Amino acid sequence: MENLLIGLGMLAQSSGSSAGAMLVIVPFLIIGIGSFVFWLWSLIDCVRRDFEGNNDKLIWVLVIVLAGVLGSLIYVFVGRPKGRLT
């Protein structure tokens, strides 16, 4: 992680204004990593849960994988069964 930030710092310095470039890059980096962690958590949660129908788990995994973070949000707020981990 430190090497990534150093590399981003070098990239910002080569473009002229390091402070301005870092103010743009760092928030997007944080949002991107947070989105990936949320997506991965929802995928793991979906795989571990027990669903009513035979194909429900497969459908939700496909929604999460194909729709990305939006699919994860839909799963968490609409499709996530309550309290049934396998």
Side-chain angles (χ1 to χ4, degrees), residues 14-33:
S14 67
S15 67
S17 171
S18 65
M22 289 303 285
L23 286 175
V24 173
I25 292 172
V26 171
F28 284 109
L29 185 66
I30 292 170
I31 291 169
I33 291 171

Side-chain angles (χ1 to χ4, degrees), residues 9-70:
M10 284 189 225
L11 177 66
Q13 282 181 343
S14 67
S15 67
S17 171
S18 65
M22 289 303 285
L23 286 175
V24 173
I25 292 172
V26 171
F28 284 109
L29 185 66
I30 292 170
I31 291 169
I33 291 171
S35 297
F36 175 74
V37 168
F38 175 68
W39 176 82
L40 188 62
W41 170 80
S42 65
L43 183 62
I44 292 170
D45 183 75
C46 181
V47 169
R48 292 183 60 208
R49 293 237 176 227
D50 188 26
F51 288 86
E52 298 282 328
N54 293 335
N55 292 327
D56 288 351
K57 184 180 289 195
L58 174 64
I59 291 169
W60 279 114
V61 166
L62 288 174
V63 167
I64 293 168
V65 169
L66 296 177
V69 176
L70 181 61

